[in-house]
Amino acid sequence: MPGEGGPLSPGPSRSGRTAWLYGLGMLGISIPVMAFENHIVFHYVDGLGLALGMAGLARTINSVWNALNDPLFGYLSDRTRTRWGRRRPWLMAGLPLFLLTFIMGFWVPAAFQAGARLFAWFLAALVLQETFATVMWTNFSSLYPELFREHRERSRAAAVKHGFQLLAMIVGIALTPMVMGLLGPAGMALLFAALAAVLVPASVTGCPEDPAASEAEPLGLTEAFRQTLTDRAFWIYALSATMTQFTFGLLGAGMTFYAKYTLGLDAAMTTVLFGTVFLTAIPTVALWSWFCRTRGGKRAWVTALATLVVASALLALGRDLWTGLAAGAVFGAGMSGVLVTTEVILAWVIDQDAERTGRRREGVYYAVNGFVTRISGALQGLAWGLLPLLFGYVSGDQPGPMPHHAFRFFMSAYPLVACTIALLMARRFPSPVRG
């Protein structure tokens, strides 16, 4: 019965050490992911000359594939039974392939650096790297609700986890152009892969799973997805998260273009702009954690989304470094709030499912959430694909007559609409999520 031991019990109390070890895993996985997601398009389009429309097509194809494989990996993870747990075997087996395909994305053989072969290499790198990134994210994320069961503990652990994620963003986004300038694209990839190869195993071995979480017989395939897909609270969360994921994807991948064409910044000042976003975000995770613990997860979530709406409007006003820094600081604060609060919100949704079904099914929930939020990737592909039609930007070789307007629109209009939709949906969430 719910609340009487087994997978629905409160679970063992986790020390602060567990939260910090778990955060190290977030750092290790996030550095390659952030570098890949936010610089791969610029590297191929502005650096190697791949047409922007072809890059958008590849991202759309990849998003469809990832939407299909997300539920599969989550379902298999929930059904895994080993003496090491459900998630950790997947993480250790998937890590080498995740890192190899990350390196592949930035190491392009000379024979593949033009024409159809460049497109083929880009598409293959996207599909393979993000497939193994899905394996890593689904299983690593599924550890969080199991490791941290109490609301206040979750709020603090979410702050640690996403503090490390924001640190990874500084390395994987803000510092990547500088590292690539020093070491080249392949050298950067090798360095970041080496960091992950040390951090992720240290984290995984230090975060033992709760054996009670996997004692109940797993649901069958059809029933597992039926229970998830009929959960109203989950759908509100997932569709709102899709809009914010769309926004984060645009802002990360588009920031380099925005800095270059709209704000007129060189590479060094682009790093300063990126750094402002994340250096603002990191200290605010503690504030959002406190807000979440004391005022409730829903209220904190709605407030964070409102902050992103304001940031999107400010990005439209960007003219130079200083206006860009102001918008970036507000965006960083809102981003940290969304990262912390949505972690707690989804964990609550999973707990409610466990009360209904008698099973902890983190893998399916995170996987179906990944399936839904992959829509954001298709939307990003569409957003990129519209730029040649609306503004004439094709590539770094053919920027068109008004690239400054193209990336002002890209960085403000799309996020403003998406964050407003996310905010309206979050207001309809059925619980304040308080412990």
Side-chain angles (χ1 to χ4, degrees):
M1 292 293 292
E4 297 182 1
L8 303 183
S9 65
S13 177
R14 300 293 183 177
S15 67
R17 179 176 179 271
T18 303
W20 286 94
L21 283 171
Y22 185 66
L24 285 178
M26 189 68 173
L27 179 65
I29 296 172
S30 295
I31 289 175
V33 167
M34 295 302 168
F36 192 92
E37 289 184 351
N38 293 284
H39 293 286
I40 198 72
V41 172
F42 189 81
H43 175 57
Y44 278 80
V45 172
D46 219 69
L48 298 176
L50 179 68
L52 185 60
M54 298 302 290
L57 174 62
R59 288 176 67 89
T60 300
I61 293 171
N62 179 60
S63 296
V64 172
W65 160 241
N66 270 314
L68 295 175
N69 69 40
D70 270 318
L72 173 63
F73 290 131
Y75 178 71
L76 292 175
S77 177
D78 279 346
R79 295 184 67 85
T80 298
R81 297 293 185 274
T82 75
R83 61 192 179 95
W84 299 285
R86 295 184 290 176
R87 321 300 180 187
R88 295 197 294 173
W90 285 93
L91 289 167
M92 296 306 292
L95 181 62
L97 295 171
F98 166 65
L99 297 180
L100 285 172
T101 53
F102 166 67
I103 295 169
M104 170 188 173
F106 289 95
W107 180 78
V108 184
F112 287 85
Q113 290 188 8
R117 290 186 177 184
L118 180 61
F119 171 77
W121 189 271
F122 179 61
L123 177 59
L126 283 181
V127 170
L128 291 173
Q129 206 282 324
E130 294 199 19
T131 295
F132 294 109
T134 297
V135 172
M136 300 299 292
W137 276 128
T138 297
N139 286 278
F140 184 78
S141 299
S142 296
L143 286 172
Y144 169 80
E146 179 182 322
L147 288 172
F148 312 103
R149 297 284 183 85
E150 192 268 333
H151 177 71
R152 295 179 68 84
E153 189 178 65
R154 280 177 174 172
S155 298
R156 293 190 181 97
V160 173
K161 175 181 179 180
H162 292 293
F164 274 113
Q165 184 181 20
L166 290 165
L167 178 59
M169 289 179 178
I170 293 177
V171 177
I173 301 178
L175 297 182
T176 292
M178 183 185 303
V179 176
M180 289 177 70
L182 293 172
L183 304 179
M188 175 276 298
L190 287 169
L191 174 62
F192 290 174
L195 287 172
V198 173
L199 293 173
V200 175
S203 171
V204 171
T205 55
C207 293
E209 299 181 45
D210 181 5
S214 58
E215 286 178 353
E217 182 66 23
L219 293 176
L221 179 64
T222 301
E223 183 63 15
F225 287 103
R226 188 189 70 80
Q227 289 284 345
T228 303
L229 295 174
T230 55
D231 187 337
R232 176 175 174 269
F234 169 73
W235 276 106
I236 292 174
Y237 162 83
L239 293 175
S240 179
T242 297
M243 293 295 101
T244 52
Q245 189 71 25
F246 171 60
T247 298
F248 294 161
L250 291 182
L251 270 291
M255 186 70 82
T256 307
F257 294 91
Y258 179 74
K260 176 180 178 179
Y261 292 111
T262 305
L263 303 182
L265 304 181
D266 59 20
M269 290 299 100
T270 299
T271 297
V272 171
L273 181 61
F274 273 122
T276 298
V277 174
F278 303 122
L279 290 175
T280 302
I282 288 175
T284 59
V285 294
L287 176 63
W288 289 109
S289 175
W290 169 83
F291 194 171
C292 191
R293 293 195 309 271
T294 59
R295 304 300 299 276
K298 177 179 177 178
R299 184 172 296 180
W301 185 25
V302 168
T303 303
L305 289 168
T307 305
L308 286 181
V309 170
V310 173
S312 301
L314 291 175
L315 284 165
L317 304 177
R319 293 291 186 277
D320 52 25
L321 174 63
W322 298 109
T323 53
L325 291 176
V330 177
F331 180 80
M335 178 175 64
S336 70
V338 169
L339 293 174
V340 170
T341 58
T342 53
E343 193 78 63
V344 176
I345 293 286
L346 183 53
W348 180 88
V349 171
I350 292 169
D351 287 347
Q352 300 309 299
D353 171 77
E355 291 293 326
R356 290 195 308 271
T357 66
R359 297 162 176 84
R360 295 211 61 91
R361 304 187 306 118
E362 290 89 351
V364 165
Y365 265 89
Y366 277 100
V368 174
N369 179 57
F371 172 85
V372 176
T373 56
R374 290 296 182 188
I375 296 169
S376 70
L379 292 175
Q380 289 175 47
L382 177 62
W384 284 107
L386 286 176
L387 288 186
L389 298 176
L390 296 176
F391 298 98
Y393 182 93
V394 176
S395 70
D397 296 332
Q398 302 177 57
M402 46 185 178
H404 55 297
H405 288 318
F407 290 102
R408 185 187 313 283
F409 176 85
F410 186 88
M411 293 286 283
S412 59
Y414 293 140
L416 183 62
V417 172
C419 291
T420 300
I421 293 171
L423 174 61
L424 293 174
M425 298 195 72
R427 288 175 61 87
R428 298 177 62 84
F429 193 75
S431 169
V433 191
R434 296 186 71 164

